[in-house]
Amino acid sequence: MSVDAGERHLSPPVRRGSRDERREATLRALTAGIGAQCAYCGRALPELSPRGGRPTPYCAPDPERYGNWGAKVITCAMLDEQREIWVHLYGPQPITPLDLTALDGTLATALAALDPLRTVVGELSTRVTGEASDALAAKASAEEQRQQARAEASQAIAERDQALAEASAARQEAADAIAARETAVRQASEALQARDQALADQRAAEQLRDDAVRTKQAALDKVTQSQDRVADLQQALERERQDSAAQREQLRAAHVQALQELQTSLAHRQDERLQSQATEFRQQAQSAATAAEARIDALTSQLTAASQSYAQSLAPSTSSSATSAATSTSPPPPPSPSSAARPTSAPH
């Protein structure tokens, strides 16, 4: 900003009341936003920034206006403070080289003529002050309403963000549930395949056991003297086998029924429940098969012991006839009951 030399050395403006009164009036006008003027030079001050800040009743520092005093920029605030010191020391006199006596007379005449105007100005100042107070109150109310509206808007935005977050979480939970259901269906299919394979292995084991039983029966048929005992043991063995087969069939049916129930409610159950029930049924089937095998082994042991006892009792009386018969016919020796009678255990 370019300022000519005459403006940089202007005489101080007319004093308007005390320094505190001028500063207070300027700050009040700044707050109300109505024509605030500098408390020293009377220039119009810009309105307060909407971003806030500390209001000042003087013009902004400008080195082009008054110049500098050493390293300091001469400002209206500095000049007003210096004039306040002058008034305090020398009285309310203007800082000019004029005749003070003549000036006092002129001022007395002017003040006498200005008394009515001062009264009117006082009334106008009172009215302006009241209107300014009302404007300040209205501005404060509007500011409060604006703050309340901002708070409500912020709360609405927060509620919207929370709703969006909950919706996102619900979508994620739905995706997780679908993935868990697909995993459970796949595991159930694998469990069914494993069950079918186990049943096939069990049938093969039963077939091998039946072949072993038939081979053992053929060997036991050659012992004609122990036919009754062998028949009783065979009947007992058959009953145990039937009981074991019936029990396995019941367990198998229960297993199939449980798997069907698990399949129907697979969408609402978790993988741990399915594995727990499948493990329980496999343990029951394994326990039943183990008990049946133990019973079969016990009967087989009894049958072997009876056969050996009978053979030992017949050995002294038939040694000579057996030797001649062996040299003439030499039939193949029967398989050992202990090896032929033991069925192959089905894999579990």
Side-chain angles (χ1 to χ4, degrees):
M1 180 178 66
S2 63
V3 180
D4 56 3
E7 187 177 358
R8 293 183 55 179
H9 300 285
L10 291 177
S11 299
V14 179
R15 182 178 177 84
R16 306 185 312 275
S18 65
R19 182 185 181 216
D20 294 335
E21 291 176 353
R22 287 182 281 107
R23 286 164 58 91
E24 183 180 356
T26 302
L27 291 176
R28 187 166 54 250
L30 276 175
T31 306
I34 49 174
Q37 295 179 349
C38 177
Y40 174 73
C41 67
R43 281 190 174 187
L45 297 178
E47 296 183 358
L48 293 177
S49 175
R51 293 178 295 180
R54 184 178 180 181
T56 175
Y58 299 103
C59 297
D62 185 6
E64 299 293 334
R65 185 177 182 185
Y66 298 118
N68 299 327
W69 180 264
K72 294 183 179 180
V73 178
I74 301 176
T75 61
C76 289
M78 182 185 300
L79 294 175
D80 196 16
E81 183 178 2
Q82 297 299 324
R83 186 169 65 175
E84 190 72 13
I85 296 173
W86 174 274
V87 171
H88 180 71
L89 293 176
Y90 302 105
Q93 300 175 1
I95 310 174
T96 64
L98 299 177
D99 185 2
L100 298 180
T101 304
L103 183 61
D104 286 341
T106 305
L107 288 177
T109 304
L111 290 175
L114 290 176
D115 283 340
L117 181 60
R118 185 180 300 170
T119 303
V120 175
V121 171
E123 295 176 355
L124 290 176
S125 177
T126 303
R127 180 178 178 182
V128 169
T129 302
E131 293 179 354
S133 300
D134 296 339
L136 289 175
K139 181 180 179 182
S141 177
E143 184 67 22
E144 182 179 358
Q145 293 178 359
R146 186 183 67 176
Q147 294 293 337
Q148 184 177 2
R150 286 182 177 178
E152 293 177 355
S154 300
Q155 183 178 1
I157 292 174
E159 292 177 355
R160 183 198 63 184
D161 295 339
Q162 183 178 2
L164 291 175
E166 292 177 355
S168 178
R171 288 194 297 270
Q172 184 63 33
E173 291 178 357
D176 295 340
I178 292 174
R181 184 180 62 183
E182 292 177 352
T183 303
V185 170
R186 185 177 65 256
Q187 292 178 352
S189 177
E190 294 176 355
L192 290 176
Q193 294 178 359
R195 185 203 62 182
D196 295 338
Q197 182 64 32
L199 291 176
D201 295 341
Q202 186 176 6
R203 284 194 295 269
E206 290 177 354
Q207 183 64 32
L208 292 175
R209 186 181 58 188
D210 293 338
D211 295 340
V213 170
R214 285 194 296 270
T215 304
K216 182 179 65 176
Q217 185 65 34
L220 292 177
D221 288 341
K222 296 180 181 180
V223 186
T224 57
Q225 301 297 328
S226 60
Q227 184 175 1
D228 295 337
R229 179 59 180 171
V230 171
D232 294 338
L233 293 174
Q234 187 66 28
Q235 291 176 359
L237 181 62
E238 188 65 23
R239 285 194 302 269
E240 291 293 336
R241 187 186 303 111
Q242 292 176 357
D243 294 340
S244 176
Q247 187 177 5
R248 284 197 303 273
E249 187 63 29
Q250 291 178 358
L251 290 175
R252 189 182 302 110
H255 188 193
V256 172
Q257 183 178 0
L259 287 177
Q260 291 177 354
E261 293 177 357
L262 286 174
Q263 289 175 358
T264 56
S265 60
L266 193 57
H268 306 285
R269 295 182 181 274
Q270 299 177 351
D271 187 29
E272 295 179 358
R273 181 77 177 272
L274 177 62
Q275 293 180 356
S276 176
Q277 290 185 355
T279 303
E280 182 179 357
F281 283 115
R282 284 198 299 270
Q283 290 177 355
Q284 292 180 0
Q286 184 177 2
S287 300
T290 303
E293 290 176 2
R295 181 62 179 172
I296 291 172
D297 291 339
L299 293 176
T300 303
S301 299
Q302 294 178 7
L303 184 60
T304 302
S307 301
Q308 291 177 356
S309 177
Y310 178 75
Q312 290 176 2
S313 63
L314 292 180
S317 60
T318 59
S319 59
S320 60
S321 59
T323 302
S324 61
T327 55
S328 61
T329 58
S330 297
S336 176
S338 60
S339 62
R342 184 178 300 273
T344 303
S345 59
H348 302 290

